[in-house]
Each structure stands twice: as structure tokens, then as C-alpha cells.
Amino acid sequence: MPAPLRLINTTANRWPSRATSIPLPCGTTKKLFDQAGVSYPTSDWTWDDMKKKAAELQTGLKGSAFPLVMDLSIDGQDSYMNLLFQKGNHIVPKDGQPTDIANDNAIWVYQQLQGMMKDGLMPTAQQMSEVKTENIFQSNRAAMVYAGSWLAAPFANNPLINEHIGVVMMPKIERQSGVAHSLAYAMSAKSDHKQEAWKYIEFMSSEASPSHPGEGSDPGQQDRG
């Protein structure tokens, strides 16, 4: 079993002004919406509105593209974890209570996704495991995608879609909310070099550091040849 990790969110702990949270967006391909004759979503749309638009896109696109894609891998931070949270679940509950991702609200989320896959409004889980969802979207094979903010640059720099993509808030289920994303440095609890690791973490979380999590490159991650 791998050694446990001690996580240190240096950005949030040392420099609060640098700690930011960007609401998870839903990307849209306006070209495919126009092709299907479907109006663009607005920031006040709901889950039911999204399903209705997905059905309209399915009819208008006639199988040339999927209405929606989202990453359903074990990660889930840019897809189903947000849906669970919007439905009132807590991935990490307070007061040491067990996670509630297997209750009735969670099952409702899973059934919604299964139903959309069954109806052809989304690729199957197997299809989305074989091809990255962002690649399906970037090849104009999907009209909507749940995407993390880290995909903004690849989307904006892709000439196949950058002239006709849009961004809108995720459709609301019971509450408008999402899972926050952050970057952190980690040190193994069983490390033989804790002192050196702490020095590195201390430096990388200081103002003297040439880079911070989420800002440019990290020299600790550069190719050492």
C-alpha cells in the first residue's frame, strides 16, 4: 500500500489572496446549437431545461453529434460530484459522518445519467472512457460539455471550435453550487527526507517563489531530461 500523503494547500494557507475558486462552467458549441435550431442556454437554466435542450439537439443534429458529454471517470470533479452536491449530498460530510453518496438523492443523480445514456443524449460510459470527453467536444462531436476551468486554454486555442464556443453556468438541480478545485503540494508521511521536503514547500509558498500552484510552471515538475 502506498505511503499516506500529508497534503498542504500552500496557496490557501500562506497567501489567502491567491486562493480562488472558479465556478465550474458548461461549455457549448454554438455552431451545433445553430445547426439544430436550438436556442442557447442561459445562466438561470435548470437540470430539466438542460435535458429538454439535449432532446431538441438530438432531434436537430440527427446523430451527427452528441447533445452532451461529461467525464464519468473515478475523478468526477468536473462532472458527477457537482451533480451530487447540487442535489444536496456532501462528498465530505462534517463532524466525521460517513459520506452520503449512496442515499436516495445520490441514486437519483446516477439514474438521471443512466437514463440520458440510454436515451442517446450522452455517449455510454464505455465510450467516454475510451475517448476523453474534451476531445469529443473539441472535434465538434458534442454540443455541450461539463468542463473544468483548466480546459479553457485548450478550448480557446483550438481553431476547430474557438470561433463558436460559449460558456454558461452549470444547470441548477436543487441548488446552484459546485465542487471547488485547488492545487497543493504533498509530502509522504513516511518520507525519509521530511526536512528537505518542508524546505521546498516553505519556499514554494513564499513570495520569493518563481511560481505558485496554478500560476505557470512548477520547477519541481519540469522535465529533468
Side-chain angles (χ1 to χ4, degrees):
M1 179 179 293
L5 297 178
R6 184 169 185 176
L7 301 178
I8 307 97
N9 190 333
T10 56
T11 309
N13 291 344
R14 293 300 302 276
W15 302 105
S17 62
R18 297 179 183 271
T20 59
S21 177
I22 302 175
L24 186 83
C26 183
T28 62
T29 304
K30 295 181 179 180
K31 178 181 179 180
L32 295 180
F33 272 79
D34 293 342
Q35 180 181 325
V38 179
S39 61
Y40 304 149
T42 57
S43 59
D44 61 347
W45 66 332
T46 66
W47 180 258
D48 287 339
D49 293 333
M50 188 273 290
K51 289 179 65 177
K52 181 179 179 181
K53 286 193 180 295
E56 293 173 349
L57 286 163
Q58 183 183 45
T59 299
L61 294 174
K62 300 177 181 179
S64 62
F66 288 103
L68 173 70
V69 290
M70 66 171 68
D71 183 3
L72 297 179
S73 67
I74 193 171
D75 187 342
Q77 64 175 324
D78 56 348
S79 58
Y80 61 87
M81 284 193 179
N82 298 277
L83 307 185
L84 291 169
F85 196 46
Q86 284 201 348
K87 187 61 178 173
N89 291 286
H90 295 86
I91 310 301
V92 183
K94 297 179 180 179
D95 303 323
Q97 296 298 312
T99 184
D100 55 3
I101 58 173
N103 61 17
D104 290 343
N105 283 342
I107 291 172
W108 180 91
V109 169
Y110 307 143
Q111 290 176 336
Q112 288 288 307
L113 296 175
Q114 289 174 337
M116 292 183 72
M117 286 187 280
K118 182 179 179 181
D119 293 339
L121 302 180
M122 295 171 56
T124 65
Q126 180 177 346
Q127 288 173 316
M128 288 186 284
S129 70
E130 294 172 349
V131 182
K132 289 186 176 181
T133 53
E134 60 263 33
N135 291 341
I136 298 175
F137 181 74
Q138 290 186 94
S139 60
N140 286 308
R141 291 281 292 135
M144 299 182 288
V145 63
Y146 274 65
S149 57
W150 55 89
L151 290 173
F155 288 176
N157 292 324
N158 186 337
L160 290 176
I161 63 171
N162 60 8
E163 294 295 328
H164 54 262
I165 55 175
V167 178
V168 66
M169 290 292 291
M170 290 183 295
K172 177 182 177 181
I173 299 180
E174 290 186 356
R175 58 183 180 182
Q176 184 59 275
S177 56
V179 178
H181 310 287
S182 63
L183 299 176
Y185 292 104
M187 177 180 68
S188 171
K190 296 184 179 180
S191 172
D192 293 329
H193 304 282
K194 288 188 175 68
Q195 185 175 358
E196 292 85 352
W198 273 118
K199 285 183 178 180
Y200 177 78
I201 292 169
E202 183 76 11
F203 172 72
M204 292 305 295
S205 61
S206 70
E207 286 189 293
S209 171
S211 66
H212 293 267
E215 296 182 6
S217 63
D218 180 346
Q221 296 178 345
Q222 293 178 0
D223 185 1
R224 293 177 174 80

